[in-house]
Amino acid sequence: GAVVSQHPSWVICKSGTSVKIECRSLDFQATTMFWYRQFPKQSLMLMATSNEGSKATYEQGVEKDKFLINHASLTLSTLTVTSAHPEDSSFYICSARVPGGNRYEQYFGPGTRLTVT
Amino acid sequence: AQSVTQLDSQVPVFEEAPVELRCNYSSSVSVYLFWYVQYPNQGLQLLLKYLSGSTLVESINGFEAEFNKSQTSFHLRKPSVHISDTAEYFCAVSDAGGTSYGKLTFGQGTILTVHP
């Protein structure tokens, strides 16, 4: 149980284009999802907290207009990287919290590797 | 604000040897501590957590970690590792309560490689 998927697992896009990454909770409904970014050989950095039906809460230093988060349903959150540039190339990971479960326990997706050329 | 430091980026060991993956944290408030494991091509999985109570916590596959408040550490240990333990391990900390509950701050990760 508590499986989280991400799609795509790997994407290459040209500089200036936008790319959307999906995060789905497959066997539970997630009112809260988190988006992380991981640079090579570095730790995961929380980008934003996504709550179903409301605006995402972004961490300090994360550009809201560049990283658009939509949590339109209880099983799907999307991250859109707008006007992507090579410095946006990274590994993006989402996680979801199980409602009613331990509020500190998050289930993670396998990640999406974004390469901007 | 919190920070987590994993002192070793890579730890190679032989099968059946003991291992310790070190984790130190910094925080001005009480914290909860976690170890996550990431196997190749998979998402992070919770290995064990310390929320309260006994400072020694154990996982179902033989790992244990001890919360040491005075040394601000949460080192992960296993007395005898298996090939299947090869993975990347992340230490994480969360603010214990307040409006930021549930948000995790991660260490840089330690790649454990178990050799036959």
Side-chain angles (χ1 to χ4, degrees):
Chain A
V3 178
V4 176
S5 70
Q6 283 184 241
H7 177 79
S9 57
W10 186 34
V11 58
I12 301 174
C13 70
K14 292 185 177 181
S15 184
T17 62
S18 297
V19 61
K20 180 184 289 187
I21 302 170
E22 295 184 347
C23 176
R24 293 182 184 274
S25 55
L26 298 185
D27 50 2
F28 67 100
Q29 294 181 327
T31 53
T32 302
M33 291 183 172
F34 302 89
W35 285 96
Y36 295 84
R37 183 174 181 177
Q38 185 180 25
F39 291 103
K41 301 188 184 302
Q42 296 187 29
S43 65
L44 284 75
M45 300 295 294
L46 180 65
M47 299 174 65
T49 302
S50 168
N51 293 296
E52 188 268 337
S54 63
K55 292 183 178 180
T57 302
Y58 290 81
E59 295 299 300
Q60 190 173 7
V62 177
E63 298 177 59
K64 302 178 182 181
D65 295 332
K66 182 166 189 60
F67 299 100
L68 300 179
I69 292 173
N70 186 304
H71 194 160
S73 79
L74 287 171
T75 59
L76 174 65
S77 176
T78 60
L79 168 68
T80 301
V81 183
T82 62
S83 187
H85 289 96
E87 57 265 30
D88 298 324
S89 297
S90 190
F91 197 55
Y92 293 88
I93 302 171
C94 73
S95 70
R97 182 187 294 155
V98 177
N102 187 317
R103 64 182 185 179
Y104 298 93
E105 190 155 356
Q106 299 178 25
Y107 294 89
F108 287 79
T112 296
R113 185 164 303 282
L114 170 64
T115 302
V116 184
T117 61
Chain B
Q2 292 121 11
S3 66
V4 178
T5 302
Q6 291 182 241
L7 297 166
D8 305 296
S9 59
Q10 296 191 53
V11 173
V13 295
F14 287 107
E15 193 172 20
E16 297 184 1
V19 70
E20 178 180 79
L21 307 183
R22 295 178 292 171
C23 172
N24 287 88
Y25 70 92
S26 173
S27 177
S28 59
V29 299
S30 296
V31 297
Y32 295 145
L33 294 156
F34 307 83
W35 275 100
Y36 284 84
V37 58
Q38 185 175 30
Y39 298 103
N41 301 316
Q42 296 185 29
L44 277 74
Q45 301 172 33
L46 181 63
L47 186 61
L48 45 77
K49 60 182 182 284
Y50 169 78
L51 302 183
S52 64
S54 173
T55 57
L56 182 65
V57 291
E58 299 178 351
S59 71
I60 59 173
N61 56 354
F63 283 94
E64 64 178 30
E66 185 162 19
F67 170 50
N68 189 318
K69 187 175 182 179
S70 63
Q71 296 185 8
T72 61
S73 68
F74 191 56
H75 301 331
L76 181 70
R77 302 183 183 93
K78 188 170 185 179
S80 177
V81 294
H82 301 290
I83 298 287
S84 58
D85 293 324
T86 295
E88 187 161 17
Y89 293 79
F90 291 91
C91 181
V93 63
S94 175
D95 180 2
T99 58
S100 63
Y101 67 84
K103 291 169 54 175
L104 294 170
T105 300
F106 283 88
Q108 297 90 335
T110 298
I111 298 174
L112 172 65
T113 304
V114 182
H115 298 283

